[in-house]
Amino acid sequence: MAAAAAAAAAATAAGSIAACAPGSAAAPRLSPSGSASAQEAGMCAAAKLTATCRARAPALTSQFRGTPVAWRQHGASKAEAMPRGSSGSRTNRVAVLAAAAVSTPTKSEKTTGVTGSVKTGMTMTEKILAKAAGKGRVSPGENVWVRADTLMTHDVCGPGTFGVFKKEFGPDAKVWDPERVVIIPDHYIFTADERANRNVDILRDFAREQNIKYFYDIVEKSDFRANPDYKGVCHVALAQEGHCRPGEVLFGTDSHTCTAGGFGQFASGIGNTDAGFILGTGKLLIKVPATMRFILDGEMPSYLLSKDLILQIIGEIGVAGATYRAMEFAGTTVDGMTIEDRMTLCNMVVEAGGKNGVVPADKTTFDYLEERTNVPFEVFRSDGDAQFHSEYRFDVSKIEPVVAMPHSPDNGALARECKDKKIDRAYIGSCTGGKTEDFMAAAKLMHSAGKRVVVPTFLVPATQKVWMDLYTQPVPGTGGKTCAEIFNEAGCDTPASPSCAACLGGPKDTYGRMNEPLVCISTTNRNFPGRMGHKDAQIYLASPYTAAASALTGFVTDPREFLC
């Protein structure tokens, strides 16, 4: 896979990641200094790939919004957090790439005085982990025992996690706190595969035995609506059910657990062994990650979505560019994002090798949580003098719609430069691209185009709530039409039962799975060989706008053809 990714062209122009045509000249790679720690065992394969021929992204200092005094918060004041000038700056500035949307990264430098090392502030990730460890401060590279606020598992990893727990703590052992364990069947649900079905049975048996409060069960699979407890994709369900809260520590047996970082919390995927240990103790020994900060400023163009931004970032730093580091997102663009936008950003940090992604909590966060949880939470922000591994700046107004070509999330290209790439199908769904706003975006474009799709277009809502939204919420600017009505008029497949479906391939009868060597444009998060089924299939990762536009033409298509 690394070889395939390295073969991609990487010419940059006006903030682009790479040219699509094979043989394009590669842009010089600009790397911040410093070595990366090895990624934890059991984490996604993306962290193990070697990325080459990519332009690095830019440097920036932080700028934060204030938050209501009703929530306890820690961190720099707005004045303290304003970007500093080049004179006396705590980071060394480097030359800005001319006419580019990004500038090269800077490496933070710690200073020393005559009395030795000078203590500096902490990043928000460090503050959250310090609180969970019961310590006044922690530093990158330090190993600390942290208390888990929530542990999530699902049907793929739950059985193995429970096996580890019973082996190590005894067959009659009880979990440390049955109200802090969340069990969500979501991956291989709507299938006749006996082993997949047995996994869900194991979840049910364990939940009953341990009196787990938050088990979102499904029994009647012929009609998911007959199961009021069933939710769907775990990462979206966690948010909708109020399990994501600022300042907390969330571990999950899924690499995209980092999605919850969009709420201003530490959220990270772990393996079955670690999860089994947490079940018995409520704690985990982890290494504090260094933090890379990404500042996105500027007005978001009408044809861009947050998926374009994270694909841009991954294309710039590579699939190993953030190995075992926190990725913190800030800036005026992020300030204006919805919760679902922020979830998308954090969702794919693991595709860059990241340990976790995080966005500072603000009024947008509080408004979302108001009707979903009454659990008190604490808000943390990075200090004005916090030390970052590196900082990057993006001028979002100059970014164009992006795709990740086969077979790696960092094999980036501009959508407009891939217009000759024929596709066989389109897929809109997953924890990355199956949220309500993702479908709203796709429906908006299709309605604007007034055309019918020319390739099979699969629609997989992430959760029951998203599925209901498709049939009940009007799409703005369409005269009151719902997503379902627009998709039906455009000739798309009927929205499927909410689940992960073909994002992880699954049994051969999984909805949307590629059982042949087809070419698919998808709003999912990975495009490695075999990821969505057949090992010779090809996957182009894209935003819902780009996926919808491509479904209408049969080729990878820049959404500006229909939106501008």
Side-chain angles (χ1 to χ4, degrees):
M1 290 184 288
T12 59
S16 63
I17 295 176
C20 183
S24 301
R29 180 171 181 141
L30 304 171
S31 305
S33 60
S35 60
S37 305
Q39 178 67 298
E40 283 187 330
M43 293 301 293
C44 82
K48 299 179 182 178
L49 296 177
T50 301
T52 58
C53 302
R54 296 173 190 92
R56 285 285 190 173
L60 178 71
T61 49
S62 68
Q63 182 171 346
F64 299 113
R65 297 171 62 183
T67 56
V69 296
W71 288 271
R72 185 179 178 189
Q73 56 182 308
H74 306 263
S77 68
K78 186 173 182 180
E80 292 172 329
M82 291 295 288
R84 304 182 184 183
S86 57
S87 177
S89 172
R90 60 186 168 81
T91 56
N92 294 324
R93 292 190 177 275
V94 293
V96 176
L97 296 178
V102 298
S103 60
T104 53
T106 61
K107 173 74 174 180
S108 295
E109 296 179 346
K110 293 185 178 180
T111 59
T112 58
V114 294
T115 57
S117 298
V118 175
K119 287 187 177 181
T120 59
M122 291 189 290
T123 67
M124 61 185 301
T125 290
E126 292 160 12
K127 288 183 178 183
I128 294 170
L129 294 179
K131 174 195 172 187
K135 298 170 70 73
R137 65 179 293 113
V138 297
S139 301
E142 183 179 353
N143 294 315
V144 294
W145 287 99
V146 298
R147 183 191 71 256
D149 291 291
T150 304
L151 173 68
M152 184 279 298
T153 191
H154 51 50
D155 54 297
V156 173
C157 296
T161 295
F162 304 155
V164 170
F165 168 67
K166 293 199 171 189
K167 176 183 177 183
E168 300 300 331
F169 292 92
D172 298 321
K174 297 298 181 181
V175 300
W176 100 101
D177 189 336
E179 294 193 6
R180 293 184 179 271
V181 178
V182 181
I183 303 177
I184 307 178
D186 65 348
H187 275 63
Y188 305 146
I189 306 304
F190 304 102
T191 174
D193 187 272
E194 293 182 359
R195 291 181 177 87
N197 293 334
R198 176 57 183 154
N199 275 3
V200 178
D201 293 339
I202 293 173
L203 299 186
R204 186 178 302 112
D205 292 343
F206 187 84
R208 288 173 178 170
E209 170 194 303
Q210 297 289 332
N211 195 29
I212 301 298
K213 181 177 181 178
Y214 299 110
F215 171 46
Y216 298 107
D217 196 9
I218 180 168
V219 178
E220 180 51 65
K221 297 179 181 179
S222 62
D223 182 2
F224 68 88
R225 291 169 294 181
N227 304 269
D229 291 338
Y230 177 68
K231 303 303 173 185
V233 177
C234 58
H235 310 300
V236 181
L238 282 169
Q240 292 177 345
E241 297 304 312
H243 297 295
C244 300
R245 295 177 289 266
E248 292 193 351
V249 172
L250 166 65
F251 290 114
T253 59
D254 188 291
S255 58
H256 290 107
T257 300
C258 50
T259 304
F263 288 83
Q265 68 181 121
F266 179 87
S268 188
I270 57 175
N272 292 357
T273 301
D274 285 347
F277 186 83
I278 293 175
L279 279 178
T281 67
K283 295 181 179 180
L284 187 64
L285 180 67
I286 68 169
K287 181 186 293 184
V288 178
T291 298
M292 302 170 71
R293 185 161 53 174
F294 299 82
I295 309 298
L296 295 89
D297 283 318
E299 183 177 354
M300 180 88 97
S302 61
Y303 47 81
L304 284 188
L305 295 171
S306 56
K307 179 68 171 291
D308 292 295
L309 304 186
I310 191 61
L311 286 178
Q312 172 86 24
I313 291 170
I314 295 170
E316 295 288 346
I317 69 174
V319 291
T323 299
Y324 208 90
R325 298 187 192 119
M327 294 175 68
E328 180 177 322
F329 301 96
T332 58
T333 306
V334 178
D335 289 344
M337 285 183 173
T338 67
I339 282 293
E340 291 192 0
D341 288 334
R342 299 172 185 187
M343 289 170 65
T344 301
L345 277 183
C346 291
N347 173 271
M348 288 190 68
V349 302
V350 71
E351 271 68 55
K355 178 66 174 175
N356 67 296
V358 68
V359 175
D362 58 13
K363 186 178 185 301
T364 299
T365 317
F366 309 146
D367 289 346
Y368 184 94
L369 292 174
E370 188 173 3
E371 297 179 357
R372 291 175 171 85
T373 182
N374 58 6
V375 176
F377 54 79
E378 216 169 347
V379 175
F380 294 91
R381 295 179 178 278
S382 294
D383 290 324
D385 61 344
Q387 296 295 313
F388 294 90
H389 172 275
S390 48
E391 298 180 322
Y392 297 75
R393 168 175 288 170
F394 287 78
D395 182 353
V396 172
S397 67
K398 295 181 181 179
I399 295 177
E400 298 183 54
V402 177
V403 297
M405 301 182 295
H407 293 284
S408 180
D410 64 354
N411 193 11
L414 298 180
R416 64 177 172 82
E417 295 177 332
C418 295
K419 60 184 180 181
D420 62 336
K421 302 300 182 182
K422 189 178 185 301
I423 64 169
D424 300 305
R425 59 172 58 186
Y427 185 99
I428 302 174
S430 83
C431 55
T432 316
K435 303 178 292 298
T436 297
E437 292 174 8
D438 298 317
F439 286 104
M440 286 282 186
K444 173 185 174 182
L445 184 140
M446 289 184 178
H447 179 268
S448 177
K451 299 177 62 175
R452 290 178 63 85
V453 299
V454 298
V455 296
T457 301
F458 299 88
L459 310 172
V460 189
T463 64
Q464 281 219 51
K465 184 185 184 305
V466 175
W467 188 92
M468 287 296 298
D469 288 345
L470 301 192
Y471 286 90
T472 59
Q473 290 193 13
V475 179
T478 65
K481 290 185 177 180
T482 65
C483 288
E485 290 173 326
I486 295 171
F487 292 145
N488 181 61
E489 292 173 357
C492 302
D493 261 28
T494 302
S497 300
S499 73
C500 296
C503 178
L504 193 58
K508 288 190 174 182
D509 62 348
T510 298
Y511 177 78
R513 186 184 193 273
M514 288 195 284
N515 293 321
E516 300 175 23
L518 303 173
V519 179
C520 177
I521 190 160
S522 176
T523 65
T524 53
N525 43 55
R526 289 179 184 156
N527 57 352
F528 308 131
R531 172 68 183 189
M532 293 183 72
H534 200 285
K535 65 179 182 180
D536 294 322
Q538 298 183 47
I539 305 166
Y540 287 81
L541 302 179
S543 76
Y545 275 161
T546 303
S550 303
L552 297 174
T553 65
F555 292 84
V556 174
T557 301
D558 190 315
R560 287 176 288 189
E561 291 192 17
F562 300 108
L563 291 174
C564 296

